[in-house]
Amino acid sequence: MMPARLTAATGPNPLQGAVQLVSAIIGPDLRGSSSDDPTRPVNCDWIAALCLTAAVALLLVVAGHAAGRRAYDVTPLLFWPGVILLVVPISLRIGWPRVARGERLFLLFLFAELLLYYKTVYAPTSFVGHDEFLHWVAADDLLTARRLFLSNSLLPIGPTYPALEILTTAIVNLTGLSVFVAGTLLLVILKGTFVVGLFLFYEAITGSPRMSAVACLAYMGCMTFVVFDSMFSYESLGVVLCMLTFAVEAASRDFDPRARLRALGLIALLLASLAVTHHVTAAFAAFYFAMLAAFEALRRQGSSLIGTTLAIIFIATLAVALPVLWVMARGNPLSGYLGPAVESGLNALMRKFSGGVTHRPEVNALSQPLGMRLTTAVAVLLLSLGLATGFFRSLALAASSGAPSGWRPIEDILKRRWRDSRIVFLTILAFGFPVSVILRLTQSAWEIANRMATFVFISVGLVVAVSIVHFWQGRDARGWRRAGPAVALSIIVMGGITSSSLDPIRGRYKVGADQQSIEAMGIETARWTNEWLAAGNRFTADRVNRLLLASYGRQDVRVRIVAGVDTALLFEGETLDPDILRVLARSDIDFLLVDLRLSMAPPVLGFYFEPWQPRHGKALSGSDLLKFNDIKGVARIYDNGWIVIYDVRGLHENS
Amino acid sequence: MKIPSQRDLRAALLWAIVMLAAVGLSSNVLLRTVLVAPMVFFVSGHAMLRAIGIKTSSLSEHLAYAVGASLVIGISGGFILNAAGLLTPLGWASWFCAITVAAALVAGRRSDAPDLPPWPGSVPVRVWQGTAMAAALLLASGAYALAVHDEATYRQFNYTAFWILPPASGGPARMTVGVRSAETNTQRLDLEINLDGQPFAVFRSLTLAPGETWSREIQIPISATSQRADARLYRPDDNRLYRSVSTLVPRR
């Protein structure tokens, strides 16, 4: 070893200096003041000013949508300043040091509701998201039949998880509101409860309202927060129940045995509800509690903490057993639903990395405007920076030694001495973030990344918050140390918005683009079927019109002509294959709806019918779509110049 | 400041009974919503938290847990009412009322129930602050109303829908023909119907204003073989075939 004297004499070793620098940046030093001044009052000046700013911002967003519908050039100039005005001021205030707990929590709650408003105003009178239609149809069926577990051809797994429909129809039954209004009211409550639950969870494990608020803001950078988890869909309810379970468990860890037992009762009820609400969220809750139990079992601890460990093992057992029992009771419909999605996603990813030929043109971020892509990329970079500078600090936060600097806390963790297993597990779970970014590289694996992000960001939020409070802002944040991290948080939240959808501005009709393909003519045609053909006819059509027929038209839509034969085979192709015609004649399908707008352009999402079908780089031709005109037994009963309905019941008589 | 331990439970009991009465007796959507929403999202869960004896340290924590417990009550109610065949408005109202009353009674008998969390201290709001918040609320509501109006009035595609429907099976031998205008101007149209290639009916100069629908039921002869009815819509202004639809008339 080189003597210190000699080192001093020959000048600093550059390698050693670099190691010290890196250690200072990513090392476990905790030098921030994580607590707020408890006596600091809520600043109503700020709250009032932010409310007014947000309202102006929402007006600009609404104006942006109106201009977008008419394809005006001014659209982005209205919409994006509105979004920036919505996000930046409130994020800056929430992320600012020395703000009262109550003010932070109120602003977080307000911000979550504002973002829900932002999502809802895209289509202010009806659901337009693909998944929203599936649950809307299920809710309508429940209202009509007054029975649970009705089959849903668009979402076969849906009847197994009816909690969202139960709550929505309860409100509809009790109030007389429409499904859309009742569902939106439910979403308002869910969004607010989620963010409060998230805040309480972070606060329980970090002990700091400031760190909790910063973590919640970082969580809002998740690609699912603004749109996907705000949809009228079962995961929006699932994540709330999941987060409340985590919050109750974390808050009750230091209770006396009697109080903890009562908290266990509430946790058990929440877990039971989660088991019948959403499969992936219930699986994540089971994973979280199982890992927590494993970390508790690993932890070196005194006998006084055995009660806590036993409680966590009991919760983990419930979290695993309840969803499994429910799925078994319902005949295990889950493997057939999730299995193919996971398999195709992983296969697509493997093909991507092995350089193999992909048969499906991928829809990716290249379809977005440059500004949106840049914002997402900068947000991902900032999150990565936060994770790099927060990882060891977050572990140090959990260490039992309490040493504020040096690598001693990490040594403690390696020796299985930590004070809170939740922080250790969540910190390690942050590795899921780079995995989810990689999974976004292909369309098929993007679905997995999307579902993962909701949960991975719970840990990302924690680690980034630790990084900001203990590294970037430090003990006495002044100057750039005060403003820089708050601006970075604003960009992270902006990244959550830009990554949440392909095109957040309401625009003109687009082909095969789910919510961007929903417009008045398609809706009115679906309503026409209900008015003139009555409900319950067996229809098939492209993906978007199927949704409209099932919801507005109350028709019995089919994804396949018969089992194993996709409807795409009917519509694609210059002529109708005689075998397919025979299958159609023997099927029970009554009507085909042909949307000639499909011939206007290739589908934005890459498919006209279902995601698992071959992707289209070019548009279908109008003559291909109209080939039914000349088939004996088929009658063209409806035509509005764009949409044609064929009655194929005559084929059944001939078969 | 702590809430006296029983007052909230009495309020929950009263709320549950009034809500049940409103659902049973009134069809006023606003009244029912005002009474039902707090019950479905908070009151029932609050009573349940008090019955279980859950300890909470802040108002925000209590509110979040109460919402969670209310969701649990709603979800479990769905399964129980389904088993009983009572997924009806009165069934739901009775469920929430029964759970709230039972939970409030249990909570009222508890001697070891934890206190409710303290209320946060009041925050003085100055006139300009209150005005700004009210203006923000008005502005946001106005923006939403604007969005609703724009959604309802704007249409990208203007069209004329034309249809012909066969007689309903087992019904009278009448086919239906109809036209609906979703154009921006009033349209004048001629309509011709052929049955198995032979002229059958003609309607001249149908005038349709935007949003208007014209339809007729037409008596047709039913024969031993199925027939094909073709309907054509012409625009007299340019005398060109505008729309064409057809249907199969089932045999006797």
Side-chain angles (χ1 to χ4, degrees):
Chain A
M1 188 184 286
M2 192 180 285
R5 257 196 327 266
L6 185 59
T7 311
T10 55
N13 180 344
L15 182 64
Q16 201 176 16
V19 168
Q20 278 173 355
L21 180 68
V22 170
S23 176
I25 292 171
I26 68 165
D29 292 358
L30 298 176
R31 59 183 185 219
S33 164
S34 58
S35 60
D36 289 309
D37 180 355
T39 56
R40 185 172 290 276
V42 170
N43 189 329
C44 279
D45 287 350
W46 270 106
I47 291 178
L50 287 171
C51 285
L52 211 50
T53 314
V56 173
L58 292 173
L59 188 62
L60 285 171
V61 168
V62 167
H65 284 308
R69 278 197 188 92
R70 292 159 182 84
Y72 291 162
D73 292 339
V74 76
T75 302
L77 298 177
L78 288 169
F79 184 82
W80 288 111
V83 174
I84 292 167
L85 202 58
L86 182 67
V87 170
V88 175
I90 204 163
S91 302
L92 286 175
R93 182 64 187 164
I94 294 169
W96 211 252
R98 294 188 200 86
V99 175
R101 175 190 184 272
E103 188 179 335
R104 285 194 206 274
L105 186 53
F106 174 77
L107 289 177
L108 274 171
F109 177 84
L110 179 70
F111 194 23
E113 298 297 357
L114 290 172
L115 289 174
L116 180 67
Y117 181 118
Y118 159 88
K119 178 257 165 192
T120 308
V121 88
Y122 182 93
T125 56
S126 62
F127 298 122
V128 291
H130 175 266
D131 292 6
E132 291 183 314
F133 278 103
L134 313 183
H135 292 279
W136 176 13
V137 170
D140 265 345
D141 288 347
L142 178 52
L143 280 171
T144 308
R146 300 196 184 283
R147 275 190 297 121
L148 289 177
F149 311 122
L150 300 164
S151 67
N152 183 342
S153 61
L154 292 171
L155 183 66
I157 194 79
T160 303
Y161 298 97
L164 180 79
E165 287 82 7
I166 287 174
L167 289 173
T168 310
T169 55
I171 300 165
V172 172
N173 271 306
L174 287 167
T175 59
L177 295 169
S178 69
V179 171
F180 173 72
V181 178
T184 305
L185 180 63
L186 178 60
L187 287 172
V188 168
I189 300 293
L190 291 179
K191 207 68 195 171
T193 309
F194 176 78
V195 85
V196 173
L198 189 68
F199 179 88
L200 293 171
F201 172 66
Y202 284 133
E203 192 179 40
I205 63 174
T206 63
S208 158
R210 176 179 160 207
M211 212 172 330
S212 311
V214 172
C216 287
L217 266 188
Y219 185 91
M220 289 178 181
C222 175
M223 66 196 288
T224 59
F225 182 79
V226 179
V227 175
F228 190 75
D229 289 336
S230 303
M231 285 204 289
F232 181 65
S233 185
Y234 47 10
E235 63 268 359
S236 302
L237 174 59
V239 291
V240 175
L241 294 171
C242 180
M243 190 42 65
L244 285 175
T245 313
F246 292 179
V248 177
E249 187 280 324
S252 66
R253 65 193 163 154
D254 299 325
F255 284 1
D256 61 72
R258 201 182 174 89
R260 191 188 297 148
L261 194 65
R262 289 172 183 162
L264 280 180
L266 181 59
I267 291 169
L269 289 171
L270 287 167
L271 284 173
S273 299
L274 180 57
V276 299
T277 298
H278 186 229
H279 37 79
V280 174
T281 315
F284 176 73
F287 174 66
Y288 172 82
F289 284 118
M291 292 308 293
L292 210 56
F295 274 80
E296 279 295 300
L298 267 176
R299 178 159 74 124
R300 285 190 184 162
Q301 57 192 338
S303 57
S304 62
L305 294 171
I306 285 176
T308 311
T309 307
L310 285 176
I312 291 177
I313 289 172
F314 175 70
I315 296 170
T317 308
L318 279 179
V320 173
L322 290 170
V324 171
L325 287 173
W326 177 247
V327 168
M328 284 166 63
R330 295 287 304 152
N332 191 18
L334 204 55
S335 53
Y337 176 70
L338 289 179
V342 174
E343 194 183 335
S344 74
L346 294 179
N347 285 342
L349 198 66
M350 294 303 285
R351 276 200 305 274
K352 186 103 181 169
F353 284 120
S354 64
V357 178
T358 175
H359 301 288
R360 297 174 168 199
E362 298 288 348
V363 177
N364 53 34
L366 287 175
S367 316
Q368 289 186 318
L370 181 68
M372 282 178 74
R373 278 185 283 150
L374 270 177
T375 308
T376 307
V378 173
V380 169
L381 277 176
L382 288 171
L383 284 168
S384 306
L385 195 62
L387 290 178
T389 51
F391 181 79
F392 289 115
R393 288 183 172 85
S394 187
L395 284 177
L397 200 67
S400 51
S401 71
S405 62
W407 288 87
R408 170 84 190 282
I410 305 304
E411 285 172 26
D412 284 347
I413 299 284
L414 292 172
K415 287 175 186 167
R416 296 187 282 128
R417 289 200 191 93
W418 57 76
R419 63 174 180 82
D420 194 331
S421 299
R422 293 157 200 82
I423 298 180
V424 178
F425 170 59
L426 286 178
T427 305
I428 292 168
L429 187 66
F431 279 110
F433 177 71
V435 175
S436 76
V437 172
I438 291 168
L439 286 172
R440 283 196 227 173
L441 294 175
T442 72
Q443 172 71 12
S444 311
W446 182 91
E447 292 284 345
I448 305 172
N450 193 42
R451 305 299 190 277
M452 256 181 86
T454 302
F455 310 111
V456 166
F457 261 76
I458 298 173
S459 55
V460 170
L462 172 71
V463 177
V464 169
V466 172
S467 155
I468 286 178
V469 170
H470 284 290
F471 177 67
W472 294 102
Q473 286 184 329
R475 193 169 300 280
D476 192 17
R478 288 177 193 282
W480 76 268
R481 276 183 175 276
R482 181 156 53 175
V487 170
L489 279 168
S490 306
I491 296 171
I492 287 170
V493 179
M494 282 295 296
I497 290 177
T498 52
S499 61
S500 64
S501 66
L502 214 54
D503 187 357
I505 309 176
R506 194 73 195 254
R508 295 177 76 77
Y509 169 87
K510 285 184 183 156
V511 178
D514 279 0
Q515 61 186 28
Q516 296 175 82
S517 307
I518 309 287
E519 52 68 59
M521 184 173 71
I523 291 169
E524 284 159 9
T525 305
R527 283 190 171 133
W528 177 90
T529 65
N530 186 283
E531 187 182 348
W532 292 92
L533 302 175
N537 294 289
R538 288 166 290 264
F539 257 90
T540 193
D542 62 281
R543 174 173 156 111
V544 170
N545 281 297
R546 264 202 313 257
L547 297 175
L548 297 176
L549 285 166
S551 51
Y552 292 99
R554 303 294 295 133
Q555 303 298 333
D556 179 6
V557 296
R558 299 297 165 91
V559 178
R560 293 185 169 90
I561 314 166
V562 294
V565 183
D566 288 337
T567 49
L569 296 170
L570 274 176
F571 298 102
E572 296 173 356
E574 205 174 317
T575 56
L576 195 58
D577 186 300
D579 290 338
I580 299 298
L581 182 59
R582 256 193 301 279
V583 171
L584 179 63
R586 286 178 191 156
S587 73
D588 60 358
I589 287 174
D590 299 321
F591 299 98
L592 309 178
L593 184 147
V594 172
D595 192 336
L596 295 171
R597 291 174 297 178
L598 301 189
S599 64
M600 283 165 45
V604 170
L605 296 177
F607 54 87
Y608 289 111
F609 297 93
E610 283 305 325
W612 59 79
Q613 287 156 357
R615 303 285 163 132
H616 287 266
K618 59 177 189 176
L620 292 173
S621 86
S623 58
D624 292 357
L625 290 168
L626 290 172
K627 57 183 170 278
F628 304 99
N629 283 342
D630 307 320
I631 293 172
K632 191 170 177 240
V634 176
R636 175 183 165 130
I637 59 163
Y638 174 95
D639 180 9
N640 71 16
W642 298 98
I643 297 174
V644 178
I645 295 174
Y646 291 100
D647 181 348
V648 297
R649 290 173 296 183
L651 287 175
H652 307 326
E653 291 170 13
N654 299 338
S655 66
Chain B
M1 185 180 80
K2 289 181 179 175
I3 297 173
S5 59
Q6 301 287 320
R7 201 185 292 169
D8 61 312
L9 295 174
R10 279 188 228 117
L13 271 173
L14 186 65
W15 198 286
I17 291 163
V18 172
M19 186 271 304
L20 179 64
V23 173
L25 302 173
S26 170
S27 56
N28 186 308
V29 175
L30 183 64
L31 173 72
R32 284 168 61 161
T33 305
V34 167
L35 288 169
V36 161
M39 172 57 66
V40 171
F41 294 124
F42 175 71
V43 177
S44 57
H46 167 77
M48 189 174 160
L49 288 186
R50 299 275 277 137
I52 298 174
I54 300 290
K55 193 169 119 185
T56 50
S57 57
S58 66
L59 183 65
S60 53
E61 192 177 3
H62 186 82
L63 286 172
Y65 291 5
V67 172
S70 300
L71 297 175
V72 168
I73 290 167
I75 293 167
S76 54
F79 289 100
I80 290 165
L81 294 175
N82 178 62
L86 285 172
L87 285 170
T88 58
L90 264 182
W92 274 112
S94 307
W95 167 257
F96 277 105
C97 186
I99 291 289
T100 307
V101 169
L105 291 176
V106 170
R109 292 170 71 98
R110 286 193 89 103
S111 56
D112 57 346
D115 284 323
L116 284 169
W119 282 94
S122 62
V123 179
V125 179
R126 275 179 262 152
V127 175
W128 88 261
Q129 294 164 345
T131 311
M133 286 185 216
L137 192 65
L138 273 175
L139 201 57
S141 308
Y144 202 92
L146 209 64
V148 169
H149 176 77
D150 190 55
E151 174 100 345
T153 52
Y154 176 75
R155 56 170 58 247
Q156 182 180 346
F157 295 95
N158 298 308
Y159 63 91
T160 301
F162 182 40
W163 64 90
I164 185 165
L165 301 175
S169 64
R174 284 184 188 148
M175 62 183 182
T176 307
V177 64
V179 188
R180 176 178 291 168
S181 170
E183 306 280 358
T184 47
N185 301 315
T186 298
Q187 295 258 94
R188 202 159 62 85
L189 301 158
D190 290 344
L191 195 161
E192 290 178 9
I193 300 171
N194 292 346
L195 197 58
D196 271 346
Q198 301 300 312
F200 181 70
V202 177
F203 299 91
R204 297 274 176 221
S205 295
L206 304 175
T207 306
L208 270 88
E212 201 176 344
T213 299
W214 175 93
S215 71
R216 287 285 181 282
E217 284 192 344
I218 302 165
Q219 188 82 31
I220 46 165
I222 301 287
S223 67
T225 56
S226 63
Q227 307 164 86
R228 186 179 183 89
D230 295 292
R232 288 173 184 175
L233 201 60
Y234 293 89
R235 283 200 296 215
D237 298 342
D238 52 11
N239 199 30
R240 62 171 258 237
L241 179 61
Y242 185 48
R243 298 270 184 275
S244 158
V245 291
S246 67
T247 190
L248 298 174
V249 181
R251 58 180 176 254
R252 194 179 299 133

